[in-house]
Amino acid sequence: MASRDPPPATSYAPPDVPAGAAFFLTIPFAFQLPELVFGFWVWVLVAATQVASPLLQGWVMYVSLTSFLISLMFLLSYLLGFYKRFESWRVLDSLYHGTTGILYMSAAVLQVHATIVSEYNDLKNYYINTAASFFAFITTLLYILHAFSIYYH
């Protein structure tokens, strides 16, 4: 019997994924750190308020915290080179960021509603909710820009 060589490992890497510090300076990958920073601020600020509407702000917390953790895993997978093993990595990245942009838009709108409701109760919570709403919309914009830039790049 002839011995069969194992198939070579798939090592597909998009040619435009830079290594090192250049990764954070190249579009669309430059959006990943700001997504994490602004997303972090969303869930920290929502957690710091007195929750006026648990259902609304629960959804905001779920979206922001889950997106933060998955985006962190994406960043680590890029930095550690896991993307080299799969050909469909760019499609997965684009679909994830597009879907997250839509979910973040719904969470940002609900956070604005929670901000409007908290305006009359406590001024401190109102300011914190206002900041969380601002960061939620910025994070939404970053996720959408990332999705489109990786799709068209």
Side-chain angles (χ1 to χ4, degrees), residues 80-138:
L80 298 175
F82 293 143
Y83 69 94
K84 295 177 183 178
R85 297 182 184 183
F86 304 102
E87 293 183 21
S88 59
W89 189 259
R90 293 178 66 107
V91 174
L92 176 66
D93 193 4
S94 180
L95 286 175
Y96 164 71
H97 283 91
T99 304
T100 305
I102 293 168
L103 292 176
Y104 239 109
M105 178 60 80
S106 71
V109 169
L110 292 176
Q111 181 59 34
V112 168
H113 178 71
T115 302
I116 293 169
V117 168
S118 71
E119 180 179 11
Y120 303 108
N121 298 337
D122 184 15
L123 205 55
K124 178 187 168 204
N125 284 331
Y126 172 72
Y127 290 140
I128 294 172
N129 280 329
T130 302
S133 299
F134 173 76
F135 286 125
F137 278 108
I138 296 297

Side-chain angles (χ1 to χ4, degrees), residues 42-97:
V42 170
W43 64 265
V44 165
L45 289 169
V46 171
T49 63
Q50 196 170 25
V51 177
S53 180
L55 187 61
L56 299 180
Q57 288 186 302
W59 175 250
V60 175
M61 282 295 289
Y62 171 74
V63 169
S64 60
L65 192 55
T66 305
S67 301
F68 176 81
L69 293 174
I70 295 173
S71 293
L72 184 62
M73 287 191 294
F74 261 95
L75 177 65
L76 291 175
S77 63
Y78 271 116
L79 293 178
L80 298 175
F82 293 143
Y83 69 94
K84 295 177 183 178
R85 297 182 184 183
F86 304 102
E87 293 183 21
S88 59
W89 189 259
R90 293 178 66 107
V91 174
L92 176 66
D93 193 4
S94 180
L95 286 175
Y96 164 71
H97 283 91

Side-chain angles (χ1 to χ4, degrees), residues 16-28:
D16 55 351
V17 176
F23 176 82
F24 297 108
L25 302 173
T26 307
I27 301 293

